[in-house]
Each structure stands twice: as structure tokens, then as C-alpha cells.
Amino acid sequence: MDNNVVVSDYAAMDRILRDERKYILNMCKKIKKSGANVVLIQKSILRDAYNELSLHFLAKMGILVVTDIERTDVEFVCRTLGCTPVPHVDSLSPEKLGSAEHVGDVVLPGSGHKVVKFVGVANPGRTSTVLLRGSNELVLAEANRSVHDAQCVVRSLVKQRYLIAGGGAAETEASLRLRELALETTGMDSHCFKAYADALEVIPYTLAENAGLKPIEIVTELRKAHAEGTIGAGIDVKHGSIANMYDQNVIQPLLVTTSAIKLATETVCMILKVRDVFVYMYVCLSCSFCSLVLFDVNSYFILFPVHITG
């Protein structure tokens, strides 16, 4: 909420400036009393979180101020430094402070940008920082995406420590086994198994298509290799052929594949559960001889008015 103060004379203006100076000085004294010598202020989009007068008082007290901390970085900073965020200086206490041996500005080599470096943190190992540098925003965004993908792969491997062959090998092997199961069963189950096998073959088909290969020929050769017993056979995009992915060191965490298949299966099951479809057709609204007729055909309901003559 914004408040406006109308000042009519110079005496009132001086009084307001004195009160503001006194208020800011008391806040800085509370920060100094808590024992903090480095203050990290979150970036605020609603109002200024600090002003030049407060920075002047804190500098005279020997307190370093790090400004414009993003909201998304607050949790990372607190977990790294072992501190607790406080909404107001009245909530500041010594037990909520973190500790470090040295804090200062460091100039990055090859550029004039400065970063704040914390050295000697009491609880190292809980977090880590990766500094990415690029010639432009496009290169930097691509590097950031690659690092994020690598972190997700490591996370999946830590949660479930199993590796399988990549290059569409797992999906092709699962598709082959489902086709064999479809031949052994009858009825609706056989059609479901066959459709599931066809859906799994879309993955190596798409992989071959994205690599600039002939997808139909590649998928046919891949299916033949798995039928002959080569479980690790996959698509070698570098040479445009079928090779053993274990020999090529093309592997991926098991959790990545199982999660994708599980989520896709749950999505299809959710769609298939929606059996009631209502279609409304409103015509002849001003006619007083219309009545509604309801048809039920295989759980599909169609509701529409019918004009009755005579």
C-alpha cells in the first residue's frame, strides 16, 4: 500500500528527514547488535529494500551488504551458508546467522564482472556452484540446459542404480517381448499388447528420423538384431548403423526409461476411463413442440431436441 505525505513547510520536511534518519539508524544498530557483519538482502519488486542512507550507516559499522538476491536463490544461499532468512530486523538473532572465514568481491578472469565469494563456510559439501560462461546468451542457455540434463541423469542414477543400453535398445526389446506375448494370448488382451508394442517402436523410429537416417530400414534391422538375441542392439547415430550399445558405451539410467513408460501408460489409462461423452445440439429454441430424446449407444450419450409435428 502506497502512502503519500504532503509537506507544507520546511520545518515539517526537516522533521520527516530526522525521523527517517533515526528510524534507519535504529534498524542498522539492531543488525550490528545481532553480530552480523555481512547482510544479504533479497531483491524486492514492490519497493526498495534499501536506500543510500542505510548503506552509508552499515558501511560505517563495518557491515558488508550484498543486494539484489533473487527469490529463487534464497533457499540455496541459506542451505549453503547455514543461515535462516528473516522477514524483519526485529527477528534477527545470533542463532540465525551463518558463518564464513572471508567474504569479498572477486573479479572474474577475462572480464570486468564481479562476484561475491564466500570462503571457509562451516558446512561445506551440502551445495555446490557451477559457474557457466559463454560468448552470448544462446551459448549460455545451451550450456545451462546441458548441465541441467546431466544433473537429472545423475539424480536418476542415484535413486535407482541400474544402467541399460541406450539408442532405442530397451524399447525395441520390450516391443519384441510384447509381440510374442500378443501371439500367445487371445481376445482384447492380444490387441492391447500389439498396440503397446507398436507404440514402443515409435521411440527408435523417431531417433533414427532425427539422426537423418531411414527410419523404416533402421527399425527393421534393429528388430532383426533383437530377434537374433542381441539385447543391447541399438541405433549408432554416428555411423548410421545398428551396433551393440554396451560396446559403444551408450548407456542410460533405468529410471529414465521406466518413468517415461509409466507416465505414458498412466496418461492413456486416464484417457480411456473417460467413457461418457455428451454432445449438446440446441436448435429450434423458440418452438414449444420440442422434446428431448436421449440415446444410449455403448455408454456414449447424445442429447438433442426433436421437433414434433402434428
Side-chain angles (χ1 to χ4, degrees):
M1 181 180 298
D2 295 333
N3 295 323
N4 296 325
V5 178
V6 179
V7 181
S8 58
D9 55 359
Y10 290 102
M13 182 181 299
D14 293 337
R15 187 167 59 253
I16 291 175
L17 293 177
R18 287 196 303 268
D19 292 341
E20 180 185 7
R21 182 183 180 91
K22 182 179 179 180
Y23 178 77
I24 295 177
L25 182 59
N26 290 332
M27 294 182 65
C28 295
K29 288 181 178 179
K30 291 179 181 179
I31 297 176
K32 181 67 176 180
K33 185 178 179 180
S34 65
N37 52 13
V38 178
V39 179
L40 290 86
I41 301 177
Q42 177 188 333
K43 182 179 181 180
S44 177
I45 60 174
L46 299 178
R47 61 188 182 277
D48 293 335
Y50 60 93
N51 54 17
E52 297 297 331
L53 185 59
S54 62
L55 295 179
H56 171 70
F57 286 147
L58 292 175
K60 291 184 65 175
M61 296 177 182
I63 299 177
L64 174 64
V65 180
V66 182
T67 60
D68 294 341
I69 303 296
E70 295 290 343
R71 180 183 294 271
T72 56
D73 297 335
V74 172
E75 182 182 357
F76 171 78
V77 172
C78 294
R79 189 167 61 248
T80 303
L81 302 180
C83 58
T84 303
V86 293
H88 196 268
V89 293
D90 294 336
S91 304
L92 194 59
S93 57
E95 59 270 9
K96 296 181 180 180
L97 302 180
S99 60
E101 295 180 0
H102 177 73
V103 181
D105 294 337
V106 178
V107 180
L108 295 177
S111 65
H113 296 285
K114 291 183 179 181
V115 295
V116 180
K117 184 177 181 180
F118 292 79
V119 181
V121 181
N123 52 354
R126 299 182 62 184
T127 58
S128 60
T129 301
V130 180
L131 182 61
L132 301 178
R133 300 178 62 182
S135 58
N136 51 53
E137 292 293 335
L138 181 61
V139 175
L140 190 61
E142 184 66 20
N144 187 19
R145 186 192 63 82
S146 300
V147 172
H148 180 267
D149 292 346
Q151 291 175 340
C152 293
V153 170
V154 174
R155 174 181 176 272
S156 301
L157 186 58
V158 170
K159 293 186 65 175
Q160 192 172 358
R161 300 184 179 182
Y162 294 97
L163 292 171
I164 60 175
E171 292 80 3
T172 306
E173 182 68 21
S175 175
L176 179 63
R177 301 308 172 192
L178 285 175
R179 292 184 186 279
E180 294 177 355
L181 185 60
L183 295 176
E184 298 175 359
T185 56
T186 58
M188 186 64 67
D189 294 340
S190 177
H191 292 284
C192 292
F193 290 143
K194 186 177 182 302
Y196 208 121
D198 294 338
L200 288 176
E201 281 193 352
V202 175
I203 297 177
Y205 185 94
T206 305
L207 178 61
E209 191 174 21
N210 292 339
L213 306 176
K214 297 180 180 180
I216 298 179
E217 296 181 3
I218 291 296
V219 172
T220 303
E221 294 179 5
L222 185 60
R223 190 187 305 158
K224 177 182 177 183
H226 280 267
E228 293 175 353
T230 308
I231 299 178
I235 301 175
D236 187 359
V237 296
K238 292 183 178 180
H239 302 88
S241 60
I242 303 300
N244 195 325
M245 295 292 99
Y246 292 113
D247 297 338
Q248 301 291 331
N249 292 326
V250 180
I251 52 180
Q252 64 183 17
L254 175 63
L255 186 60
V256 174
T257 302
T258 55
S259 298
I261 295 177
K262 181 180 179 181
L263 292 175
T265 305
E266 291 178 354
T267 302
V268 174
C269 292
M270 180 181 63
I271 295 175
L272 292 177
K273 287 182 180 179
V274 182
R275 300 179 58 190
D276 300 334
V277 179
F278 293 90
V279 180
Y280 296 93
M281 298 175 59
Y282 295 97
V283 294
C284 195
L285 296 178
S286 61
C287 181
S288 60
F289 298 97
C290 291
S291 60
L292 298 180
V293 180
L294 179 63
F295 287 89
D296 183 1
V297 181
N298 295 327
S299 297
Y300 289 89
F301 299 94
I302 304 176
L303 187 61
F304 59 93
V306 177
H307 180 70
I308 302 176
T309 60

